[in-house]
Amino acid sequence: MLIAGAALLCLSQTLMAQTTLKEDSIQEVVVTGTGTQHLLKDAPVQTEVISHRQLQQYAGRSIEDILSGLTSSFDFSENDMSSRLQMNGLGNSYVLILIDGRRLHGDNGGENDLSLIDPHNIEKIEIVKGASSALYGSDAIAGVINIITRKHREQGVMLENTSRFGSFGDVRQHNGLALNYGKLSSYTNFQLQHSDGWQNTSEEAPSQTEYHITDSRNKTVNRHTNWQLAERLTYQLTPKTEIYADGSIYWKRIYRPCGHHPGVDVKTWDLQYDNASLSVGGKWKLGGGTDVITLDADWKKHAYNYNYTDTTLTDGYVNGRFTNFYPYFPGDKELQSDQRLTNISLKGVFSLPYEQQLSTGLEYRYDWLKAPMRVAGGKATDNTEAVYVQDEWALLSPLYITGGLRLTRNEGFGTRLTPKLSAMLKMGELRLRATWSQGYKTPTPKELHYQYIKNMNGVYLYLGNENLKAQHSNYFGVSVEYSVGHLTLTVAPYFNKVNDMITLVTIPTKQAPGELITKYDPIRVRQYQNMEDAKTYGVDVTLRYQGRHFTAGGSYSYLDTKANQYDSENDVMQHVTIDGMAHHKANVYATWNHDFSKHYQLGIGLYGRMSTKRYYQIDGNGKGYQLWRLSTSHQFGKNRRLEAGIDNIFDYVDRTPHGLHLGTTTPGRTVYVSLTIRFNQGKILTNKFKSNLNTRENEQD
């Protein structure tokens, strides 16, 4: 890794000394850090961007592949319940994922279903690290990932198709239809994802089974299929007023093999997910400046079901009452949870005297959970209201200051203020940034009320906890960014302390509710509990060389975590690490692009990502790994593109037995090929109208 990194650095420095060419690129505009537009190099809050050019060159199969391959701050653990994301030491529930500024909703056991995101419909990705609750509310303790989708600006009709095929039956399909006529715009997006799955080992973990099993049918990743159909309509009511409506439906099924060893891999049901969403909103520009008011109303549903493949007797809540040995037969579908989110937000951005820009807003959120088999009473709800204000002040140039404050009221946990203060000092090509912010997150209905029973050579209980406290955090981060010629270096140390952090803890069986112990005699009980406190601290380093034809660079993340948890059984304080932490992670890359003619452009990229051991409190640690990828892109004119490459060039496979933690789930060396064909029929927009569209699309929804 060090040799590769040194080689890339030497090559980039050599090319920088030899070339006088400057890249003809448009300055990147970002919105996520403050909710308002800024050039990336002048954004008051440190923001990391994965550009459209990087996305095209890397050609990732999924958002997990893209984030882990292009930045060192992320780790993923893929499983049937989706991908467990970790960002700078904190997991999914602390990372807010936005699509065009609006919250992603698709919770599977605490993890967002990231296959809701179509990787072929992404324009760029903006990443802001650290607590952002003052601006975005709950879930933004570790940071924010804003997926900004592609916009289609030509009048008339645009039709596009992308088909990608890879090893292990991997199929990715994207179809888009854009219609733009006068004031009305429509975009219809369809995506399909399928994989046959794979098995890296047939051995079950000896510590979790009664027998030594070496011929298990369990797969590392099961066969699965999902599709999504989405529509967005936009109407330009007046030159200063825009209204929109969009919606989507989504379906996913995970096919699980039935085993023959009792209590280990006997699975008598597949998993099925049914999602739907509907949003309406509008945007009003005031006067002739940048003042704008937006109103958005979102409704989103995520339903998780068992599809039975064999006769099964289950225990759980049926119509609000606990029932033993309730029968299900092949073809029956049983609802496990139906989560619905209603979110209404009103936001205004106003220019004030003395170089100030004020953002203010109101939000209302209603969470509704129906889980007949997992929640006593069958349902649980939660209400949250918030008001926030943020002021950006540029009067002291070259010092820029941003301050924000949110007041949140939750029906079960009362009222809390969360402030944020950021500053940036510009000195030529040097940018110094500093941020202090607080985060606040109330327990979810699942964490409070869920009860889940898992049979695996004995009974495992997973319990909610109605005595949980709300979590709050303090984040401190600084960054130094320096550019010279084509080379940019960023160093960003941070510290994040989370008080009353909620996590699953293994507890003595005698501490579980008595009726559950009597019914099941479990061998392990895990319950959501508050830690006394948890700390994450580290440093992110990014080095980038960007020329006209050649780019190279890399990122490195050092992370350490400390957590204190009270052991009630032994009356002692335990010192633990946060699950999934790895001390060292890194990414390196080098790409070369050349236009051989106006009809053919070639791109070649080499990418590497590395991680040391990942630590867990139970079931073993995940092994360190090093993965390398070669990608090629071939652009034929404007409307045809071919991508092909090899992932995991050196064929690394983690063969840790089932039931223990993996460093990576990769099946080994894989190949892929992708073809995009686009058809355009219509008039190109005028430069003035393009400029107006760009301004509208870059504003925060």
Side-chain angles (χ1 to χ4, degrees):
M1 181 182 74
L2 292 176
I3 294 175
L8 288 175
L9 178 59
C10 290
L11 182 58
S12 67
Q13 290 177 328
T14 300
L15 289 175
M16 182 178 64
Q18 292 177 346
T19 183
T20 59
L21 294 174
K22 297 289 184 181
E23 185 182 19
D24 298 324
S25 61
I26 299 174
Q27 289 281 3
E28 198 81 57
V29 175
V30 295
V31 298
T32 308
T34 61
T36 55
Q37 294 184 71
H38 293 277
L39 293 178
L40 176 61
K41 66 184 182 67
D42 293 330
V45 177
Q46 180 67 34
T47 305
E48 184 176 353
V49 173
I50 300 176
S51 68
H52 186 64
R53 177 179 176 180
Q54 289 175 290
L55 292 168
Q56 281 198 317
Q57 184 68 68
Y58 186 75
R61 62 187 287 270
S62 64
I63 190 65
E64 297 97 321
D65 186 16
I66 291 167
L67 290 175
S68 60
L70 294 176
T71 177
S72 60
S73 301
F74 295 96
D75 258 320
F76 292 90
S77 302
E78 189 171 359
N79 58 33
D80 282 347
M81 301 300 292
S82 185
S83 296
R84 293 183 177 178
L85 159 68
Q86 191 181 83
M87 177 179 176
N88 284 355
L90 295 176
N92 292 66
S93 61
Y94 301 97
V95 181
L96 179 61
I97 300 176
L98 306 173
I99 299 180
D100 290 327
R102 301 203 301 277
R103 181 184 299 266
L104 177 70
H105 179 68
D107 175 31
N108 299 326
E111 298 95 40
N112 277 302
D113 187 353
L114 298 181
S115 56
L116 286 161
I117 302 169
D118 182 356
H120 294 104
N121 196 37
I122 301 175
E123 178 65 28
K124 64 178 178 177
I125 303 172
E126 297 181 8
I127 302 164
V128 175
K129 299 169 185 175
S132 298
S133 293
L135 188 60
Y136 293 106
S138 188
D139 302 339
I141 286 180
V144 179
I145 303 170
N146 192 7
I147 311 293
I148 297 174
T149 59
R150 294 164 50 215
K151 306 300 186 295
H152 304 279
R153 302 165 180 168
E154 295 182 354
Q155 288 283 289
V157 180
M158 187 283 296
L159 180 65
E160 60 183 356
N161 173 84
T162 299
S163 299
R164 175 187 170 120
F165 303 94
S167 304
F168 299 96
D170 187 70
V171 178
R172 308 278 161 154
Q173 180 68 34
H174 163 81
N175 297 98
L177 173 63
L179 303 172
N180 292 296
Y181 290 103
K183 298 180 178 182
L184 180 66
S185 299
S186 166
Y187 183 68
T188 307
N189 180 61
F190 173 80
Q191 66 151 328
L192 170 73
Q193 303 178 11
H194 173 81
S195 172
D196 288 341
W198 57 85
Q199 185 186 58
N200 290 345
T201 179
S202 59
E203 182 182 1
E204 295 285 343
S207 61
Q208 298 195 14
T209 63
E210 185 177 347
Y211 317 98
H212 185 207
I213 298 172
T214 58
D215 59 347
S216 171
R217 296 185 187 181
N218 267 330
K219 289 188 174 184
T220 305
V221 173
N222 285 318
R223 183 167 69 95
H224 57 273
T225 303
N226 63 272
W227 58 264
Q228 182 183 50
L229 180 64
E231 169 67 26
R232 180 178 175 94
L233 291 169
T234 304
Y235 186 74
Q236 197 71 35
L237 192 62
T238 71
K240 296 183 179 181
T241 305
E242 176 186 279
I243 57 176
Y244 79 88
D246 62 35
S248 68
I249 54 174
Y250 170 90
W251 179 91
K252 181 177 183 178
R253 183 155 180 173
I254 299 173
Y255 303 90
R256 310 202 302 173
C258 289
H260 58 277
H261 290 292
V264 178
D265 55 345
V266 175
K267 298 180 177 67
T268 58
W269 59 83
D270 293 336
L271 307 179
Q272 181 175 318
Y273 305 98
D274 299 289
N275 282 31
S277 70
L278 179 64
S279 302
V280 294
K283 183 181 298 184
W284 298 268
K285 289 187 176 181
L286 306 177
T290 59
D291 295 357
V292 63
I293 295 175
T294 58
L295 175 65
D296 292 289
D298 300 324
W299 174 86
K300 298 178 180 179
K301 170 189 173 181
H302 175 78
Y304 162 44
N305 305 275
Y306 284 174
N307 263 350
Y308 285 94
T309 55
D310 201 353
T311 302
T312 306
L313 298 176
T314 67
D315 294 347
Y317 292 94
V318 178
N319 297 324
R321 299 183 62 183
F322 195 89
T323 304
N324 293 106
F325 306 117
Y326 189 85
Y328 286 92
F329 303 98
D332 285 348
K333 186 168 75 170
E334 176 195 20
L335 177 67
Q336 300 301 303
S337 70
D338 182 355
Q339 300 176 80
R340 302 186 186 186
L341 169 69
T342 301
N343 197 89
I344 302 173
S345 63
L346 175 66
K347 177 183 176 180
V349 178
F350 309 101
S351 297
L352 299 180
Y354 306 109
E355 301 295 326
Q356 295 182 85
Q357 190 169 35
L358 181 71
S359 301
T360 185
L362 301 169
E363 289 186 3
Y364 170 75
R365 172 173 174 165
Y366 176 68
D367 287 278
W368 182 87
L369 168 66
K370 179 181 179 181
M373 302 293 287
R374 301 192 178 200
V375 172
K379 296 180 182 178
T381 61
D382 188 49
N383 282 281
T384 303
E385 303 92 32
V387 56
Y388 66 89
V389 62
Q390 173 186 270
D391 188 19
E392 301 174 59
W393 193 27
L395 180 63
L396 301 178
S397 179
L399 177 65
Y400 299 84
I401 298 175
T402 302
L405 185 66
R406 172 179 287 252
L407 177 65
T408 302
R409 192 207 72 86
N410 179 269
E411 66 173 338
F413 295 90
T415 303
R416 186 174 180 92
L417 284 169
T418 49
K420 179 172 183 176
L421 182 64
S422 298
M424 180 184 68
L425 179 63
K426 295 198 306 183
M427 296 183 292
E429 295 302 317
L430 179 67
R431 302 288 189 275
L432 303 177
R433 297 180 176 92
T435 294
W436 165 72
S437 56
Q438 289 189 345
Y440 179 62
K441 179 174 172 57
T442 57
T444 65
K446 274 192 171 183
E447 292 167 339
L448 291 167
H449 305 293
Y450 228 41
Q451 295 183 358
Y452 172 52
I453 303 156
K454 181 177 180 181
N455 287 288
M456 191 178 75
N457 194 36
V459 175
Y460 291 69
L461 292 180
Y462 293 83
L463 304 176
N465 184 352
E466 295 185 3
N467 296 317
L468 290 173
K469 295 180 287 186
Q471 306 160 94
H472 53 96
S473 69
N474 273 281
Y475 173 84
F476 302 89
V478 298
S479 68
V480 180
E481 178 184 303
Y482 183 67
S483 299
V484 52
H486 297 269
L487 196 65
T488 300
L489 173 67
T490 304
V491 180
Y494 62 88
F495 172 80
N496 204 350
K497 181 180 179 182
V498 184
N499 294 305
D500 298 318
M501 179 179 179
I502 296 174
T503 187
L504 270 174
V505 175
T506 300
I507 65 173
T509 56
K510 65 183 181 182
Q511 293 184 12
E515 67 273 14
L516 296 177
I517 297 298
T518 302
K519 289 179 182 295
Y520 298 110
D521 188 25
I523 63 175
R524 178 183 289 176
V525 180
R526 304 206 79 198
Q527 184 181 46
Y528 286 106
Q529 290 191 358
N530 292 104
M531 289 185 172
E532 296 298 314
D533 62 65
K535 302 173 184 176
T536 68
Y537 52 93
V539 60
D540 294 331
V541 181
T542 303
L543 179 66
R544 183 179 71 253
Y545 169 84
Q546 188 163 343
R548 174 168 293 186
H549 300 293
F550 178 79
T551 65
S555 59
Y556 164 76
S557 292
Y558 170 78
L559 169 68
D560 202 359
T561 68
K562 293 181 180 179
N564 295 313
Q565 184 171 334
Y566 179 64
D567 181 352
S568 58
E569 183 177 27
N570 299 308
D571 193 27
V572 295
M573 188 70 70
Q574 289 183 323
H575 302 285
V576 299
T577 60
I578 296 177
D579 279 350
M581 180 206 74
H583 283 304
H584 307 280
K585 297 190 295 292
N587 297 70
V588 293
Y589 67 91
T591 67
W592 179 76
N593 294 271
H594 185 71
D595 298 348
F596 286 92
S597 70
K598 65 179 181 179
H599 300 295
Y600 176 66
Q601 296 87 40
L602 170 66
I604 301 174
L606 178 65
Y607 302 85
R609 59 186 174 102
M610 309 88 178
S611 175
T612 56
K613 181 191 301 182
R614 300 184 68 185
Y615 293 90
Y616 293 88
Q617 296 180 44
I618 62 171
D619 297 332
N621 297 319
K623 296 178 181 178
Y625 60 86
Q626 182 177 161
L627 305 175
W628 290 87
R629 172 192 186 96
L630 177 67
S631 68
T632 67
S633 62
H634 311 264
Q635 185 76 38
F636 302 93
K638 293 182 178 180
N639 296 320
R640 290 173 296 165
R641 182 178 179 86
L642 177 69
E643 297 166 347
I646 304 172
D647 204 1
N648 196 352
I649 296 172
F650 300 108
D651 199 26
Y652 172 75
V653 178
D654 186 344
R655 303 197 185 277
T656 300
H658 296 295
L660 303 180
H661 293 291
L662 302 175
T664 174
T665 58
T666 174
R669 184 184 301 114
T670 58
V671 298
Y672 70 89
V673 61
S674 173
L675 176 64
T676 297
I677 298 176
R678 187 174 292 109
F679 170 78
N680 292 281
Q681 184 181 53
K683 181 180 178 181
I684 303 297
L685 299 178
T686 65
N687 288 334
K688 182 177 180 180
F689 195 25
K690 277 187 179 181
S691 177
N692 291 337
L693 277 177
N694 285 332
T695 300
R696 292 207 314 269
E697 291 164 355
N698 279 320
E699 290 172 350
Q700 182 74 6
D701 288 339

